[in-house]
Amino acid sequence: MKAFIFDLDGVIVFTDKFHYQAWKKMADNMGIYFDETINNRLRGVSRAESLEIILEKYDGTLSDEKKAELMEEKNNTYRELLKTMDPEDVTDAVRNTLKKLREAGYKLAIGSSSKNAKFILERVGLLDAFDAISDGTNITRSKPDPEVFVKAGELLGIEASKCVVVEDAYAGIDAAKAAGMEAVGIGDASGYDKADYKIQTLEELPGIVENLSESCKIEDSQN
Ligand code: BG6
Ligand code: MG
């Protein structure tokens, strides 16, 4: 068996704008400067590490209790925004690509830092599209640590050298390489030289299958 492991935010669904709006609301309430450039640094990074990045602009120190409160406030706003999502938020390109890869014989997994991954997949009707879900609820270290992808491989029962990761974050590409997996960069990460392959849209993915290393390739996968 061979597998594709997909990051969720920025690859399968586009929740960046909701993360931004939710962190922005929290930052505004605290009088902390926050903009889209800072938001870009939060891609692939855990909730707690995201808060630390935002607090670089905060003059002072906060207790762990206050930080937990701020993260909860942000997550509550974020989940309210996620509730507006439905199956229409998944593009045809995403649905068709997942279908094609499954038909070609690949196992499919999610490898996401988010603790909301299952909630999002349920909202957009993609829970059944994956054979395994490794997310922020089953890891202790965030990307660029390889843990989330190693766990995804374990859940699928497929060794790392037979797994291909699809990622939009630099930290995610680093995590995939540290896990001993091949890495496809999409979106922001399509400009990252550590990505083994670079694509602009997910529809290009079945097309690169024939270029994968032998260990990741399934014969007749183009059929
Ligand atoms: C990642 C996002 O998928 O999940 C990050 O790219 C986010 O921006 C992280 O911080 C954690 O998400 P959540 O839903 O657990 O707060
Ligand atoms: Mg992402």
Side-chain angles (χ1 to χ4, degrees):
M1 275 299 183
K2 325 275 168 119
F4 275 90
I5 303 172
F6 296 88
D7 171 50
L8 180 63
D9 291 324
V11 175
I12 299 295
V13 289
F14 301 92
T15 47
D16 277 21
K17 55 186 183 297
F18 296 147
H19 278 298
Y20 175 73
Q21 287 169 31
W23 281 126
K24 179 76 178 145
K25 187 174 171 197
M26 183 222 80
D28 285 352
N29 285 344
M30 290 287 292
I32 303 170
Y33 179 78
F34 181 66
D35 63 16
E36 304 245 9
T37 309
I38 301 171
N39 191 59
N40 282 339
R41 291 174 56 204
L42 312 184
R43 199 169 286 132
V45 173
S46 73
R47 197 181 306 166
E49 287 165 293
S50 297
L51 178 63
E52 293 301 334
I53 291 171
I54 293 167
L55 291 179
E56 287 171 10
K57 297 276 182 210
Y58 182 70
D59 223 4
T61 47
L62 296 176
S63 65
D64 288 348
E65 288 75 20
K66 182 64 186 173
K67 287 180 185 175
E69 199 184 291
L70 293 176
M71 283 191 281
E72 193 185 339
E73 179 190 323
K74 181 266 174 176
N75 196 48
N76 289 340
T77 311
Y78 180 56
R79 282 178 71 101
E80 282 307 310
L81 294 166
L82 290 178
K83 283 184 191 162
T84 65
M85 293 187 86
D86 64 25
E88 299 270 299
D89 286 298
V90 179
T91 63
D92 287 345
V94 169
R95 276 190 203 284
N96 294 339
T97 302
L98 296 175
K99 190 164 170 274
K100 268 191 194 165
L101 292 172
R102 257 206 169 157
E103 284 170 0
Y106 284 96
K107 288 275 183 196
L108 307 181
I110 288 289
S112 165
S113 306
S114 174
K115 291 187 168 136
N116 292 299
K118 287 189 183 127
F119 181 63
I120 295 168
L121 289 169
E122 196 192 337
R123 292 290 326 163
V124 300
L126 279 182
L127 259 188
D128 294 340
F130 298 94
D131 303 290
I133 295 167
S134 175
D135 63 18
T137 63
N138 66 245
I139 55 169
T140 54
R141 297 177 303 276
S142 191
K143 300 167 188 175
D145 189 282
E147 187 180 14
V148 74
F149 295 133
V150 171
K151 288 262 166 68
E154 281 171 8
L155 288 171
L156 291 171
I158 299 181
E159 62 191 78
S161 64
K162 296 180 177 175
C163 294
V164 184
V165 168
V166 186
E167 257 292 349
D168 72 316
Y170 281 41
I173 298 288
D174 288 339
K177 296 316 295 172
M181 299 176 178
E182 290 211 56
V184 180
I186 188 169
D188 208 38
S190 67
Y192 191 27
D193 55 11
K194 285 202 186 152
D196 298 301
Y197 310 93
K198 292 160 184 156
I199 58 175
Q200 300 307 318
T201 83
L202 216 60
E203 264 167 332
E204 293 168 52
L205 201 52
I208 68 150
V209 160
E210 60 186 19
N211 299 322
L212 296 173
S213 71
E214 286 306 317
S215 63
C216 299
K217 206 185 285 183
I218 291 179
E219 290 312 319
D220 297 323
S221 55
Q222 294 299 289
N223 297 334

